[in-house]
Amino acid sequence: MLLLSRLAENLFWIGRYVERAENTARLLNVNYYATLEMSGRTREHWLPLLELTGGEAELRAKYGRVDARSISAWLAFDRDNPSSIASSVLRARENARGLRDRIPSEMWEALNRTYLNLCFQSEAVLDRDGLFEFCVSARDASQFFFGIAFATLPRDEGWSFMRAGQMLERGDNVIRVLQTRFQGVDAEVLSDPAQRALQDQRWVSVLKGASAYEAYRKRVHSGIDPVHIAEFLLLDEFFPRSVRYSAENLYDALNQIERHHPGAHPDILRLSRWLVARLQFASIGNILAEEDPGLEELLGDFNRVGAAITAAFFQQE
């Protein structure tokens, strides 16, 4: 049972860390290009990223400043930041190294190659204006890894734990992005055309950060509207990076695990099913008004499911 617990935990965190690296790369890359197109103080465009990922005190202590360059370095290369691309890839590789005899060799090779390509980079990437290539490499590496897993990993408990970690991380990330945007001026109705154009560009960046821009434009024909964007990213049942889709796939993965341990951990399925039901029947008006459920409550639901998984399967008495 201890061995099973260790393997399950490693696969769960591989799913989370690889997804986290991709999410950070998407946000960093989209924000970088958005600042090239926007007017105003560059620092104002980068601070929301830091609010999303945390670590401002640590960044300020290490770099002595908070600006575009220091935030880019902190989120991309800095191993002292547990949410950076380099840290996420490193931790995914460490978890996979102990599973080399349990996972397809192609999965290990993909992670190891990503580690060698990305985790020894430094601020020199910024000096040669290579942030775009770095972030694209991280994003593509994540998609390549999960593609290999989809094609080669047996659909047993290991697959289900990795999938649960991936979906938990994805849903958590989208909620945090929307929280950050709705806490500031981006949620207000602006009358000034110039300010409105700037606001629209920031919301386009939110969509592009989730690879949702084209899907949103096909589904919603009313233009760039913060409420409609939030509704799409939170409640759409078909878009694979929406919170609802993530919650439903998280429940499916946990339901598959339950089949191997029938009746052992009913609270996990209850919590995850409750999360799915809330998203199925919620209205975007209530969510944005922080009324049963609000964004904070949905984020708490994801965290409670994650904590229940850890307590049930990974903590040894």
Side-chain angles (χ1 to χ4, degrees), residues 17 20-32 46 49-50 53-54 59 62-63 67-91 114-115 117-139:
Y17 285 135
R20 186 175 301 173
E22 180 179 347
N23 291 336
T24 304
R26 288 173 177 275
L27 293 171
L28 189 57
N29 195 36
V30 168
N31 200 73
Y32 169 73
W46 285 95
L49 266 188
L50 196 56
T53 58
L59 182 150
K62 182 167 185 176
Y63 293 91
D67 55 16
R69 183 181 179 88
S70 62
I71 294 174
S72 296
W74 177 251
L75 293 177
F77 322 114
D78 202 316
R79 296 194 189 184
D80 291 332
N81 175 15
S83 297
S84 73
I85 296 171
S87 288
S88 299
V89 171
L90 173 62
R91 294 182 181 194
T114 302
Y115 165 77
N117 290 339
L118 299 181
C119 291
F120 296 95
Q121 303 281 5
S122 67
E123 287 189 56
V125 170
L126 304 179
D127 295 331
R128 64 175 184 266
D129 198 23
L131 186 61
F132 170 78
E133 289 80 7
F134 180 87
C135 291
V136 167
S137 295
R139 182 201 65 194

Side-chain angles (χ1 to χ4, degrees), residues 158-215:
W159 163 263
S160 298
F161 274 108
M162 190 186 72
R163 185 68 171 163
Q166 181 190 19
M167 292 297 103
L168 195 66
E169 187 71 27
R170 181 175 294 180
D172 178 282
N173 178 260
V174 173
I175 294 174
R176 290 179 187 275
V177 169
L178 291 173
Q179 272 188 318
T180 300
R181 290 301 178 186
F182 275 103
Q183 286 172 355
V185 69
D186 289 338
E188 300 175 7
V189 178
L190 303 176
S191 57
D192 180 69
Q195 291 296 319
R196 179 58 188 270
L198 186 61
Q199 182 189 63
D200 286 351
Q201 187 61 46
R202 285 195 288 262
W203 279 106
V204 168
S205 296
V206 171
L207 288 169
K208 289 183 176 180
S211 288
Y213 180 71
E214 291 81 7

Side-chain angles (χ1 to χ4, degrees), residues 19 31 38 73 117 141 185 198-199 210 216 233 273 290 301 311:
E19 180 69 22
N31 200 73
M38 296 178 186
N117 290 339
V185 69
L198 186 61
Q199 182 189 63
Y216 170 82
L233 292 178
R273 184 60 188 142
E290 292 295 335
D301 286 342

Side-chain angles (χ1 to χ4, degrees), residues 1-14 94-102 158 161 313-316:
M1 184 63 185
L2 180 60
L3 179 62
L4 174 61
S5 175
R6 181 182 65 82
L7 297 176
E9 185 174 14
N10 285 356
L11 284 162
F12 175 80
W13 280 104
I14 288 172
E94 288 175 346
N95 278 277
R97 185 167 55 183
L99 303 178
R100 291 185 62 177
D101 61 335
R102 302 287 182 134
F161 274 108
F313 295 107
F314 308 148
Q315 291 180 347
Q316 299 298 316

